[in-house]
Amino acid sequence: MRAEGGPATAAGAEALRRALGADRVRAAEPLAPYTTFRIGGPADLFFEAASADELERAVTAARSIGIRHFLLGVGANILVGDAGFRGLVIRNRAAAVEVDPVGGRVWAESGAVVHPALIEAAVEAGLSGLEHYVGIPSSVGGALWQNLHFLSAPPERERTVFIAEVLESADILSQEGERRTVPCSYFRFGYDESILHRRDDVVLTATFRLLPGEPARLREVMAANLAWRAERHPPLDSEPSAGSIFKKIEGVGAGRLIEEAGLKGRRIGGAQITHRHANIVINTGGATARDVRDLIELARGEVERRTGLRLEVEISFVGEF
Ligand SMILES: Cc1cc2nc3c(=O)[nH]c(=O)nc-3n(C[C@H](O)[C@H](O)[C@H](O)COP(=O)(O)OP(=O)(O)OC[C@H]3O[C@@H](n4cnc5c(N)ncnc54)[C@H](O)[C@@H]3O)c2cc1C
């Protein structure tokens, strides 16, 4: 969801409190704890939506009052600026999940986490298609924003699988303010890409259509994928990050280009290109958003100088830096 509207004036904040409840709208809330990078200054206003209806109400209120707003899932694909966000941050905690084992469907509110909530519900019911995404920090809404993807099941791992392959439909609050059900094709999914990058639609709920799967086999895939991640990715609790920083470029992994530029381990302030994976920047403790951005620019500049290729950033920059 794009951040639109203006900054939060005193009158705007008051109107928002009237619409959403005075005790529910917090002021000057630090955003770092709500991101996997553990970086970011305060939001002027902050609201946690506990259901899809509350999410719809919050977005509608912000739009009609004209307050700039940003919808936050798990905060795993963003870098929030050190000066924070001038407006309202809506944290999506609408997390209901329902399974229809006979129809092979899982329905979820968009703030539900893909792992464990969604995946466990599916696997318990013997439904296959979501197990690939084990260990990835993501809300359902964030997964649709970016078309969550990973390698297909071992041992072949012959292709990349995308969440779009199992999405049947979603309920959205459209940019125009209507609540409607849209099919998967509405999202125009691509690699790290969906219509949500270009339209101010909000995903409220999503329905996934899955295939029958043997729970024991699904758990094998999950264990193998967790082991794959543990080997290659820095652990989030001790080395906070936002996963991959740059998109693949002309089929080549950005990590390889950064590694060939000799930048593994390079630091600026508290930010470091991790030794484990050159496309991941970690917060070694006390990193600022500025440190991370400077490191991103350094990597981009070096790769361009050496190869002529311009790396494109995959994460979103939110707020003021
Ligand atoms: C350690 C690590 C490993 C990762 N590995 C992978 C991986 O293997 N594959 C992969 O694809 N990604 C990976 N990622 C990236 C990240 O997990 C995904 O992009 C994830 O889908 C982000 O979801 P989120 O809920 O955190 O979104 P956020 O970061 O909170 O938000 C991202 C964007 O989505 C928008 N958004 C969120 N919810 C909604 C909604 N309901 N409606 C409309 N817009 C919405 C936000 O406004 C924002 O613009 C990894 C990240 C980390 C930290």
Side-chain angles (χ1 to χ4, degrees):
M1 193 179 99
R2 291 171 296 140
E4 294 196 333
T9 60
E14 195 38 49
L16 201 64
R17 289 200 170 89
R18 271 200 304 276
L20 301 178
D23 54 333
R24 300 282 305 278
V25 180
R26 312 211 283 263
E29 181 79 5
L31 293 174
Y34 303 114
T35 72
T36 57
F37 244 142
R38 298 276 178 265
I39 294 172
D44 286 349
L45 299 169
F46 183 84
F47 175 80
E48 293 193 313
S51 66
D53 287 344
E54 280 195 6
L55 176 59
E56 177 179 4
R57 207 176 318 137
V59 173
T60 304
R63 284 177 180 171
S64 68
I65 296 164
I67 290 185
R68 178 184 303 131
H69 51 287
F70 178 76
L71 177 54
L72 181 65
V74 175
N77 204 30
I78 56 170
L79 176 65
V80 177
D82 298 314
F85 187 76
R86 302 289 75 76
L88 169 71
V89 169
I90 301 164
R91 184 172 181 230
N92 188 0
R93 305 206 71 198
V97 175
E98 285 172 19
V99 184
D100 165 12
V102 178
R105 288 183 175 84
V106 178
W107 170 94
E109 290 185 315
S110 58
V113 289
V114 172
H115 178 224
L118 198 66
I119 295 177
E120 281 300 327
V123 171
E124 276 291 299
L127 294 175
S128 167
L130 291 166
E131 64 280 3
H132 312 288
Y133 310 107
V134 69
I136 307 178
S138 180
S139 64
V140 165
L144 300 198
W145 159 274
Q146 197 73 352
N147 195 9
L148 197 69
H149 50 84
F150 190 60
L151 298 170
S152 59
E156 298 82 6
R157 294 210 185 284
E158 78 276 18
R159 68 181 187 99
T160 301
V161 286
F162 296 88
I163 198 100
E165 295 173 33
V166 289
L167 180 73
E168 182 172 61
S169 63
D171 270 14
I172 62 164
L173 176 66
S174 75
Q175 179 173 289
E176 293 76 25
E178 304 152 338
R179 186 168 179 157
R180 59 192 183 105
T181 304
V182 295
C184 176
S185 58
Y186 175 84
F187 288 92
R188 297 177 187 276
F189 286 114
Y191 199 103
D192 286 338
E193 174 61 28
S194 76
I195 200 162
L196 301 173
H197 291 230
R198 298 182 299 282
R199 277 179 57 84
D200 197 14
D201 298 330
V202 174
V203 178
L204 299 172
T205 71
T207 301
F208 300 94
R209 182 83 200 268
L210 305 172
L211 292 171
E214 177 55 45
R217 167 64 189 149
L218 301 179
R219 294 217 177 270
E220 271 173 31
V221 173
M222 289 163 68
N225 286 5
L226 287 174
W228 189 100
R229 289 185 169 278
E231 238 172 67
R232 293 165 179 82
H233 282 201
L236 263 189
D237 44 0
S238 56
E239 297 177 351
S241 78
S244 296
I245 294 285
F246 296 106
K247 295 182 184 177
K248 266 197 178 134
I249 184 163
E250 292 171 18
V252 182
R256 203 174 96 197
L257 298 173
I258 298 168
E259 186 169 351
E260 284 168 4
L263 292 173
K264 259 191 172 176
R266 179 67 70 91
R267 295 179 73 115
I268 293 185
Q272 182 179 33
I273 295 174
T274 169
H275 286 284
R276 283 179 197 252
H277 192 313
N279 197 15
I280 298 179
V281 171
I282 57 169
N283 174 2
T284 62
T288 62
R290 173 52 62 190
D291 294 340
V292 175
R293 263 187 101 142
D294 288 351
L295 199 50
I296 288 173
E297 283 315 316
L298 181 128
R300 188 142 62 174
E302 269 304 293
V303 167
E304 189 166 13
R305 196 179 58 76
R306 284 173 51 95
T307 65
L309 296 171
R310 179 117 182 112
L311 293 176
E312 209 183 313
V313 175
E314 175 194 318
I315 61 170
S316 302
F317 298 114
V318 177
E320 296 181 353
F321 280 75

